[in-house]
Each structure stands twice: as structure tokens, then as C-alpha cells.
Amino acid sequence: LRWPLLLTDGCVLPRMLAYKLDNARPQLLVSAAVMCMEQAAISATPPWQHRLDEHREFLKTLFFAAFWGVTMIRVGLLGAHVWHRQRVFDFLAGSPWRKVLGNNGTGVHWQLLHLSHAFVTGVLCHILAVAPLYVLITSMQHSAVLLPLRVAADCAVFAWFHVYDWNDWLYRDHWVSHHDAADFLFLHGPHHDALPVSLMAAHDVGMLEGFLRFSVGHPEGFMSPMLTTPLRGVQVLADMVFHQYVPGVAPYSQAIVYYGHHHAEHHFLRLHPLGSGFDRSPDGVPTNTTEIDVRLAGYNPENKVWEWFCSEVARLEGHSWW
């Protein structure tokens, strides 16, 4: 037995926060500045019909509609995994996950426990990832009059970050998450504790990690909720699709093979890739691929784990419908 890390290393929390702040990109400050400019403009133009109260109530309704919509889809996927639980655990027993499961994937009670754990992990990660957004909705003022200008500015900042900095930001953040013990234990680790299925996915993060990512990491944390609320919902759904590493169960794994999402290897107990992991990024951005892992770590996308996974998808799901 050992003393808890928080007691033996008093620099744990400051160091984790320092890592996050050190990796922040200029788009984060620009996004925060745009938000402050909107607040100043609202204060300077009280006669304008900003419709602050109506706008806030609409944003709150949109927020909960997006959250519960995604959660209901997650519930449906939980039902699919429970129904096909033997298929799930038979596949994992023939994968690198057999080292993790041991004999704990054979009994029905263990199977239900693992699937429930994955589901709860996904829901909690989703809640904490969107918590900063809810704080923004309820604590800041949002003008209906200035909305077109605000959304246009935010879209420009989002594109700037996503095209030029996102994959580099992700690689560095993810590298630290797997090389700093405290970061992995308290932030990123819960994402890897759960089964490699869609149920556990929400922005590729652990619980507290998601809160920090959208507070002091991604510029979306300060963008207009009218833009980021539906964006977060779409991002979580996409993350669920691209974390379905058990073929033959909804939402299925053909999209992973089609886009060459090598992140599957990472959840089959390999370190790399640490970047976005795509051969062909779904957003069409050429920088959001495995190239950064190849350049920095000598990663080989055509490896045995990837070839095995692709062959299993072909065997269990047949020919692609893409």
C-alpha cells in the first residue's frame, strides 16, 4: 500500500493545471476576448432589443435537448450491447483486452457490470465536458441582436484552431496524459478503464479532463452557446461512433475502417497513435491525420493490430456499405 499521490506530491494539482495552460493556443485568448467584447457591447447599448432573458431561456432549452438527445441514443446503444453481450465479450476475449478482463467477462453479472460501467463513464464524461458550457449560458449575457456577428467571429476562430492547431494540441495533451501519473489517474485514466465501446465515449476524455479541456483548452469554451451547444452534441455522437471497437454491434465499426481511425489500436492497449489517428480525416482537414505520430514517434499505421482489427470488422460486419 502507498500513500495517495495527492498527499505525497503537493505539486500535483498545480502541475496538471500548468500543463493545460502551457498547451493553450492563441485561439483560446481570442475566443475569450470576443466573448468580453460582446458583454461590453451589451452593456453599452441598453436601448437595443437584445432579448437577453428570452435568449438565455432558449439556450438552456437547446442545451438540455442536445444533452438528453445524445443520452437517449446512448441508452439505446446500451440496450444493443446488453442484447449482444455475449458477442461483445467473445470478441474482447480474442483481443488484447483478454489481459484486462481475465475471467471477469464470462459471467452474466460481470458482463452487465462492465457494460453499465462503460455507460455511466460516458454519461459522466459528457456531463462534465458540457458543464462549462452551462456555466457560460447562465452566467454571461447573450444578445440576439449581436448573434450573427458573434457566430461569424466564433466560426472563424474555430476554423483557425481546428485546421492549424487542433491535432498538434491534441498530441501534446494526450502525450502528457499518458506520461504523467497524476494526469492519467485523475484526468484521462477513466476513459481507458471502460470497455472499448461507444457507450463510454464523450470527447475522448475522462470526467475531470473534459471539464478542463473546455475551460482552459479548446477555444469553444468561450464561444457562443448557440454555436457550441449543437456542435458538442454532434461531436459526442461522432466520438461514440469512432469508439465502437467491438464490430457487429451498433453503431458498428465500418466508419472506423473507412476513415482509417487508428485510435482503435490505442484502446487495444497500445500507446500510439496519440494524435487524431485518422488516415482520412472526416472533416477533410489534411493536418488531422496520423502524420504527426509518424513524424514524432515513428509510428507505422500499417501494423499488426490495425490489420487484425480491419479483418475482424470484415468478418463480423461483411462488406462495407460506404
Side-chain angles (χ1 to χ4, degrees):
L1 295 177
R2 294 185 298 176
W3 287 97
L5 190 59
L6 288 175
L7 297 181
T8 59
D9 185 355
C11 295
V12 164
L13 295 179
R15 185 174 67 242
M16 287 194 295
L17 183 60
Y19 280 148
K20 302 301 179 186
L21 292 174
D22 185 58
N23 196 28
R25 303 304 162 98
Q27 295 92 335
L28 180 70
L29 297 178
V30 173
S31 180
V34 171
M35 180 192 71
C36 292
M37 290 171 61
E38 182 190 31
Q39 302 306 303
I42 292 172
S43 298
T45 56
W48 292 11
Q49 297 296 315
H50 293 290
R51 299 187 179 277
L52 302 177
D53 293 335
E54 297 95 322
H55 197 177
R56 177 176 287 116
E57 289 305 310
F58 177 79
L59 290 173
K60 288 166 68 174
T61 301
L62 183 64
F63 174 89
F64 285 111
F67 173 78
W68 284 113
V70 171
T71 301
M72 289 302 101
I73 293 174
R74 198 185 300 270
V75 169
L77 294 175
L78 173 62
H81 281 75
V82 169
W83 183 259
H84 296 292
R85 62 183 180 276
Q86 198 57 53
R87 181 182 302 176
V88 171
F89 286 92
D90 285 347
F91 175 80
L92 292 176
S95 77
W97 261 79
R98 63 183 178 275
K99 305 173 186 177
V100 179
L101 293 174
N103 295 324
N104 292 337
T106 55
V108 173
H109 59 293
W110 281 113
Q111 294 174 351
L112 295 177
L113 179 63
H114 280 298
L115 291 172
S116 299
H117 170 251
F119 174 81
V120 172
T121 296
V123 171
L124 290 177
C125 290
H126 189 184
I127 289 173
L128 284 167
V130 297
L133 172 59
Y134 188 76
V135 172
L136 188 70
I137 291 173
T138 56
S139 61
M140 295 289 114
Q141 294 182 315
H142 309 282
S143 169
V145 174
L146 300 174
L147 182 62
L149 291 175
R150 178 74 194 277
V151 170
D154 287 341
C155 285
V157 174
F158 178 79
W160 176 23
F161 176 74
H162 197 70
V163 172
Y164 294 102
D165 282 285
W166 178 71
N167 206 17
D168 182 75
W169 180 95
L170 176 63
Y171 186 96
R172 184 176 180 182
D173 185 74
H174 204 181
W175 190 96
V176 170
S177 295
H178 281 274
H179 288 83
D180 181 76
D183 198 305
F184 190 80
L185 285 172
F186 300 117
L187 301 182
H188 190 60
H191 180 65
H192 286 278
D193 288 340
L195 296 178
V197 293
S198 57
L199 305 175
M200 61 81 175
H203 296 292
D204 245 340
V205 293
M207 292 83 164
L208 297 176
E209 183 184 19
F211 185 87
L212 286 175
R213 174 169 293 191
F214 293 106
S215 299
V216 294
H218 284 197
E220 297 101 293
F222 297 105
M223 291 182 182
S224 169
M226 189 67 77
L227 172 66
T228 53
T229 299
L231 177 65
R232 296 283 176 82
V234 171
Q235 288 174 333
V236 173
L237 289 175
D239 201 45
M240 291 165 69
V241 170
F242 286 113
H243 275 81
Q244 184 58 31
Y245 302 134
V246 174
V249 183
Y252 305 104
S253 303
Q254 291 186 13
I256 297 169
V257 175
Y258 178 79
Y259 288 105
H261 190 41
H262 292 266
H263 189 68
E265 301 155 37
H266 186 63
H267 279 273
F268 285 121
L269 313 184
R270 293 169 61 97
L271 178 61
H272 293 281
L274 291 171
S276 69
F278 285 101
D279 285 334
R280 298 173 297 281
S281 181
D283 56 21
V285 178
T287 55
N288 295 337
T289 66
T290 55
E291 186 275 334
I292 191 171
D293 285 272
V294 173
R295 175 166 47 88
L296 296 179
Y299 167 71
N300 176 21
E302 300 304 321
N303 57 76
K304 291 182 179 179
V305 175
W306 177 247
E307 291 175 355
W308 163 79
F309 180 74
C310 291
S311 66
E312 288 296 293
V313 173
R315 180 177 67 88
L316 294 170
E317 296 189 5
H319 295 290
S320 174
W321 50 268
W322 292 89

